[in-house]
Amino acid sequence: MVKLSLKEIQEQIQEKSVDEAIDYLLSFGNQGSGVAKLLERYYRLKEKQRAEAERLEKLLSFERQAREEGFSYIAGVDEAGRGPLAGPVVAAAVIFPEGVTIEGVNDSKKLSEAQREALFEIIKEKALAYGIQAIDEKCIDNINILNATKSAMTGALEQLKPQADCILLDAVRLENIKTKQVPIIKGDSLSFSIAAASILAKVTRDRLLKEYDNIYPEYGFAVHKGYATPQHISAIKKFGLCPIHRLSFVKNFTD
């Protein structure tokens, strides 16, 4: 075999799968510490991929059970923004084709902003259908946050084409929907579809709050996304309320 430099070996394995790279590196035998370190790195990567595949397999247990019961269009539904003092609550619903998995999908709260942004596009691309619905702060004040959340979820579900024949939700049950519902406590950590929906909802809401930050820069919405941080509360006390504040949420901070 022609002796290659470590740089040349690295170039050869860039486009290979992990298993292909390992086989290629093993073919060099005992060619020195550089190849050995590369092998160690790829073995670690293989173990990471194995663990991720195992995690995703567990995350699909509710979807798998629904398919075994005869359902074909299984929608995960979740929301973002029930707790903030300002801005809308946003819900998302997503249906995936059978057999689709996306590395890294998890409860949106466990992911960085950069991870969520990257996954947002992949989820939309790989989904069979998805819907996203925002309910603004005025409606929240009128009908309360729980009803507004349910309205957002219903709106997201209505956008799905095809319509869901089974709905997995994060611990919420929707009224006036005949479709089978499966409320799951901590569903965004236990269901692949709910986790994906949580990412769609979170990214959409965060983008909206960044837009509001351009309109009302004194409040810092791009940083705290409307939640009751010391910075946000201080801004309310200094500047008063702005049009996107939820009046029913800020009573304790405006006396």
Side-chain angles (χ1 to χ4, degrees):
M1 177 181 290
V2 178
K3 188 173 179 64
L4 300 176
S5 69
L6 187 60
K7 182 179 179 181
E8 289 172 324
I9 293 172
Q10 289 175 314
E11 289 173 351
Q12 288 290 324
I13 61 178
Q14 281 182 352
E15 303 301 322
K16 295 181 183 293
S17 69
V18 172
D19 285 335
E20 288 171 342
I22 289 172
D23 288 342
Y24 181 74
L25 292 169
L26 287 172
S27 72
F28 287 92
N30 187 15
Q31 189 161 320
S33 61
V35 171
K37 287 180 180 178
L38 275 176
L39 259 173
E40 183 180 344
R41 183 192 307 170
Y42 273 88
Y43 279 132
R44 287 199 301 268
L45 184 56
K46 183 173 182 178
E47 173 56 26
K48 183 179 178 181
Q49 289 181 344
R50 184 205 62 77
E52 175 65 1
E54 184 177 291
R55 184 187 71 84
L56 288 172
E57 184 68 15
K58 291 180 180 177
L59 207 58
L60 284 162
S61 61
F62 286 98
E63 287 83 350
R64 194 161 46 249
Q65 181 178 339
R67 292 193 188 281
E68 289 172 357
E69 294 175 4
F71 297 101
S72 299
Y73 302 119
I74 302 147
V77 183
D78 202 13
E79 52 71 30
R82 288 182 69 171
L85 306 179
V89 61
V90 177
V94 59
I95 299 173
F96 288 102
E98 185 173 4
V100 167
T101 59
I102 301 171
E103 185 176 332
V105 164
N106 206 340
D107 173 5
S108 63
K109 295 185 291 296
K110 298 178 180 178
L111 302 171
S112 69
E113 182 175 359
Q115 289 172 323
R116 291 193 297 266
E117 285 284 348
L119 286 166
F120 182 84
E121 301 302 331
I122 299 171
I123 289 166
K124 291 197 299 179
E125 178 185 337
K126 299 224 173 165
L128 179 65
Y130 69 89
I132 302 173
Q133 180 71 49
I135 299 295
D136 68 22
E137 61 287 335
K138 294 177 180 58
C139 185
I140 292 170
D141 285 335
N142 286 334
I143 65 175
N144 76 47
I145 186 59
L146 178 59
N147 287 328
T149 298
K150 291 180 177 182
S151 178
M153 289 180 167
T154 301
L157 283 164
E158 288 173 348
Q159 295 173 33
L160 297 176
K161 294 180 181 180
Q163 285 284 292
D165 57 8
C166 179
I167 304 169
L168 308 179
L169 308 97
D170 189 3
V172 175
R173 181 174 289 279
L174 303 176
E175 293 83 16
N176 303 318
I177 288 185
K178 295 180 180 179
T179 307
K180 179 180 173 64
Q181 299 182 54
V182 184
I184 304 166
I185 297 174
K186 296 184 178 179
D188 47 9
S189 295
L190 298 174
S191 159
F192 177 80
S193 301
I194 297 177
S198 79
I199 294 168
L200 294 184
K202 173 67 173 168
V203 171
T204 299
R205 188 180 189 280
D206 283 358
R207 290 178 179 180
L208 287 171
L209 268 293
K210 288 179 181 179
E211 291 178 11
Y212 283 128
D213 186 70
N214 292 325
I215 303 171
Y216 312 108
E218 62 271 27
Y219 293 94
F221 290 127
V223 177
H224 53 66
K225 309 302 189 297
Y227 284 88
T229 64
Q231 175 194 3
H232 189 187
I233 294 168
S234 176
I236 291 173
K237 291 180 177 179
K238 183 176 181 180
F239 300 107
L241 301 179
C242 76
I244 70 163
H245 278 108
R246 302 173 181 177
L247 300 182
S248 54
F249 277 58
V250 296
K251 294 176 182 176
N252 294 335
F253 308 111
T254 55
D255 294 336

